[in-house]
Amino acid sequence: MHRLGGVGIAAFERQQQSQRSFASLSSEISQAQVDLLHAQLDQFRTALVRFASTHRDSIRRDPHFRHAFQQMCAKIGVDPLAGPRKGGWWAEILNLGDWQYELGVQIVDVCVSTRERNGGLIEMGELVRMVSKLRGVSGGAITEDDVVRSIKTLKPLGAGYEVLDVGGGRKMVRSVPKQLDEDQAVVLSIAHQEGGRVSEEILVSRRNWSHERARAALENMLLRDGLCWLDEQDETSPDGIAYWVPSAMHWDE
């Protein structure tokens, strides 16, 4: 019995030794794989840095090239247009961190200067046009995508800057800390279709709203939020009343 017990203990020890050997081998293989991965990432980073440095001016000046470069980086989880705090060496290599924040300041400038007339809500295309005009030719062309990214950098300021989708592929930028309810979003969408003009009758006929609901939505936008103007001499409305949404109108300045 004693001899059998010794055989059993020896077998158990051999099994334990085998498990330790396999664990050690597995650890060595895993470490080798990690080292190989780090080496590949270093090589990739070097190649990407070389490409970004070579084409830095194109990335800054050409919105289409910038968008393609951004999409390529996004697929591998790199944010090349992040600001200095998040961009790290990207901000230094591309000098795009300052560019992004400069664009953000220009967006704030346009939003604040037009807030009195539009209540803090501006159509995306209008914002891009006015910021481009402010930047001038030397500032390089910008796109909606550039504006969206810059607005994301403004969120920590807590000023309410946000991109809103109002339907039909249209976007608006809000620069005041207030939320739009669903009825207001509908009013904005219709106002865009009508060149800025909207009335109770239009909401009732197109959305099957009651007159009370349409009136409440429009009066809230007028009195509470300051997002529209009142026209008491409208020639097409039965009651002579219509509302104009400045952020849905086109301005020639």
Side-chain angles (χ1 to χ4, degrees):
M1 294 294 293
H2 177 72
R3 186 175 61 84
L4 291 176
V7 173
I9 293 175
F12 177 75
E13 290 179 347
R14 286 196 299 271
Q15 182 181 12
Q16 290 291 95
Q17 181 60 40
S18 297
Q19 290 177 349
R20 286 193 292 269
S21 298
F22 282 124
S24 177
L25 178 61
S26 176
S27 178
E28 292 176 2
I29 293 175
S30 297
Q31 185 60 47
Q33 291 174 334
V34 170
D35 292 341
L36 177 60
L37 179 59
H38 280 300
Q40 292 175 338
L41 288 176
D42 287 340
Q43 291 177 358
F44 178 78
R45 169 175 165 169
T46 300
L48 196 57
V49 169
R50 187 182 302 114
F51 176 87
S53 299
T54 302
H55 300 283
R56 178 171 58 186
D57 290 339
S58 296
I59 294 172
R60 288 174 56 87
R61 299 289 182 180
D62 187 341
H64 300 293
F65 193 95
R66 182 167 61 248
H67 180 68
F69 177 72
Q70 180 183 327
Q71 283 189 319
M72 177 185 70
C73 292
K75 291 180 180 179
I76 58 173
V78 174
D79 188 358
L81 302 184
R85 291 185 179 180
K86 294 183 178 180
W89 52 276
W90 275 114
E92 181 180 350
I93 292 169
L94 297 177
N95 196 25
L96 282 172
D98 291 339
W99 180 90
Q100 198 75 38
Y101 280 103
E102 176 187 336
L103 178 58
V105 170
Q106 293 165 341
I107 291 172
V108 171
D109 189 359
V110 170
C111 288
V112 171
S113 65
T114 59
R115 189 175 293 166
E116 184 175 353
R117 79 179 184 202
N118 61 31
L121 200 62
I122 184 170
E123 195 267 332
M124 176 65 80
E126 180 74 3
L127 177 59
V128 171
R129 185 184 70 80
M130 295 185 69
V131 170
S132 297
K133 182 178 179 181
L134 182 65
R135 292 170 61 86
V137 177
S138 60
I142 61 169
T143 64
E144 287 189 7
D145 188 58
D146 294 327
V147 171
V148 170
R149 292 182 61 84
S150 284
I151 288 177
K152 288 181 180 179
T153 68
L154 298 175
K155 278 195 172 183
L157 299 178
Y161 285 85
E162 185 178 2
V163 178
L164 305 174
D165 188 345
V166 296
R170 291 180 294 272
K171 294 184 177 66
M172 304 192 76
V173 174
R174 185 185 65 197
S175 61
V176 289
K178 61 177 68 171
Q179 296 290 333
L180 293 179
D181 58 38
E182 293 183 2
D183 285 359
Q184 289 175 326
V186 170
V187 172
L188 287 174
S189 178
I190 292 179
H192 273 283
Q193 299 171 16
E194 296 297 318
R197 178 184 175 277
V198 67
S199 66
E200 283 187 35
E201 287 67 29
I202 292 177
L203 294 174
V204 170
S205 62
R206 295 191 184 180
R207 305 296 299 188
N208 292 322
W209 285 3
S210 66
H211 281 278
E212 291 75 13
R213 179 179 180 180
R215 188 179 307 114
L218 292 169
E219 288 183 351
N220 280 337
M221 293 183 68
L222 172 68
L223 301 175
R224 185 187 67 190
D225 301 321
L227 296 176
C228 62
W229 297 340
L230 176 64
D231 181 0
E232 297 181 312
Q233 298 180 346
D234 186 76
E235 298 179 354
T236 58
S237 295
D239 57 0
I241 295 178
Y243 298 80
W244 290 86
V245 181
S247 57
M249 298 164 60
H250 297 288
W251 304 85
D252 297 328
E253 64 181 65

